[in-house]
Amino acid sequence: MDERKDEAGLVRRGLFGLSAVGAAAGAGLGLLAPAGATAQTLGKSRLQMIKERGRLLVGTGSTNPPWHFEDANGQLQGMDIDLARLLAKNLFDDPTKVEFVLQGSDARIPSLITDKVDIVVQWMTVTAGRAQQVEFTIPYYREGVSLLLLARGGKYKSFDEMKSAGASVTVGGMQNVFLEEWVHKALPQARVDAFESPDATLQALNARRVDAYMADQSAGRWLMQQAPGRFIDAGYGWMPNSYASAVKPGDPVWLNWVNTVYKEAMMGVDFDYFAASYKKWFGIELPTPKIGFPTEFA
């Protein structure tokens, strides 16, 4: 989940911002301003401008696996990066014709409004407040929180077992004013231990000082991919929120084109590419869309 404020004005992130695998990766990277970004000309769609420019400008991050992070060679990778390259492939028949503008999460909306980027593909949660400033594409992931357990040697093997155990269960998570509230939404009687970082929480789980690690579901799935057989998901997720890309308002041609690419990646011609990304980053096997009548309109 990304940064956002609740009705009381409190920041609702900081709990699971970085997965334990990549919490320290990419430190010190700032906003990189691209050369040649131009404001949208009245009457001309950004789609046409991008085609004329010859490359796509994408705002994203570099420190949050499995969404966007650097590999051992300093190359960006992750689900958001795959989606950006899919857009470039459909624009130019070349997935490399994309320039990534590295930015913090607080720069996502400003970079769009000031025309520094064409699109933000950066694990951005859809909210009604943000929709007053940007236009969201169709969602490509449903995030939430879940519980990571030890596959071997742990006290519990499922959410149902933990719920039945009541106050005997201890759940660890990154220190946050909402930590106890979030845990108790799923496990009202559980004890809660707060840690200063995702790494420290994961170490506590490995040392069996806590029974479960509450994390963003995508971060938990990534950890399961990195250490096969070490961890399991408890089988229950809650606090759902949708991830989508965002574009500057007022250009229905550009928004419709991006939505067409995303939809056909989920349901049509680029499904194999999309399914391979879901498998690689989340360990999720997507079912092949049924042929015949389009089931999304049923």
Side-chain angles (χ1 to χ4, degrees):
M1 290 189 277
D2 58 354
E3 288 186 1
R4 57 191 188 278
K5 294 185 179 181
D6 67 5
E7 293 178 354
L10 296 172
V11 174
R12 200 195 160 186
R13 190 175 175 80
L15 183 54
F16 317 122
L18 307 181
S19 81
V21 175
L29 283 172
L31 177 65
L32 305 180
T38 57
Q40 182 176 332
T41 304
L42 184 64
K44 179 185 285 190
S45 170
R46 184 166 296 273
L47 177 61
Q48 182 180 349
M49 293 167 55
I50 296 166
K51 294 285 285 185
E52 291 173 354
R53 186 198 301 136
R55 71 189 189 285
L56 175 68
L57 304 177
V58 176
T60 194
S62 63
T63 60
N64 299 290
W67 295 101
H68 40 259
F69 63 106
E70 294 181 342
D71 64 15
N73 298 316
Q75 299 299 307
L76 282 173
Q77 59 179 335
M79 185 69 193
D80 285 338
I81 307 306
D82 285 356
L83 287 171
R85 294 200 183 282
L86 179 64
L87 293 172
K89 175 181 177 293
N90 279 278
L91 280 164
F92 306 109
D93 199 26
D94 185 347
T96 68
K97 289 192 174 183
V98 53
E99 180 177 333
F100 292 105
V101 181
L102 301 183
Q103 58 188 15
S105 58
D106 58 348
R108 290 174 299 192
I109 291 176
S111 70
L112 283 173
I113 300 305
T114 58
D115 295 304
K116 290 182 177 179
V117 299
D118 301 313
I119 187 170
V120 167
V121 190
Q122 192 176 354
W123 70 343
M124 193 170 183
T125 297
V126 176
T127 70
R130 287 174 175 167
Q132 297 177 54
Q133 303 175 74
V134 300
E135 292 187 5
F136 286 106
T137 66
I138 58 176
Y140 51 81
Y141 191 82
R142 182 67 35 76
E143 185 65 284
V145 294
S146 61
L147 298 166
L148 200 66
L149 308 176
L150 290 175
R152 295 183 297 271
K155 192 185 298 184
Y156 306 103
K157 298 301 180 186
S158 71
F159 173 78
D160 289 339
E161 287 184 13
M162 287 187 290
K163 193 167 185 178
S164 297
S168 299
V169 173
T170 302
V171 176
M174 187 171 166
Q175 187 172 6
N176 186 283
V177 294
F178 298 106
L179 179 58
E180 289 198 18
E181 176 188 343
W182 291 356
V183 171
H184 289 156
K185 282 179 180 289
L187 297 170
Q189 297 176 289
R191 292 174 294 181
V192 180
D193 276 357
F195 297 88
E196 69 275 10
S197 68
D199 282 329
T201 314
L202 192 64
Q203 289 170 9
L205 176 64
N206 283 322
R208 297 169 178 79
R209 298 198 305 273
V210 298
D211 301 310
Y213 167 25
M214 186 172 73
D216 284 350
Q217 187 180 62
S218 60
R221 290 187 178 278
W222 170 247
L223 287 169
M224 291 165 61
Q225 289 289 94
Q226 298 308 293
R230 177 68 178 170
F231 306 107
I232 56 173
D233 187 283
Y236 178 73
W238 68 104
M239 295 179 61
N241 61 106
S242 300
Y243 284 173
S245 298
V247 299
K248 186 176 181 179
D251 192 342
V253 173
W254 173 229
L255 177 62
N256 181 68
W257 185 86
V258 175
N259 277 336
T260 298
V261 174
Y262 282 3
K263 180 181 176 185
E264 294 312 306
M266 297 178 198
M267 305 297 295
V269 293
D270 285 315
F271 174 75
D272 287 349
Y273 179 96
F274 190 78
S277 292
Y278 253 67
K279 175 63 176 177
K280 180 177 182 178
W281 305 120
F282 313 122
I284 297 174
E285 294 271 6
L286 296 180
T288 301
K290 292 183 179 180
I291 61 174
F293 184 82
T295 55
E296 64 268 31
F297 298 118

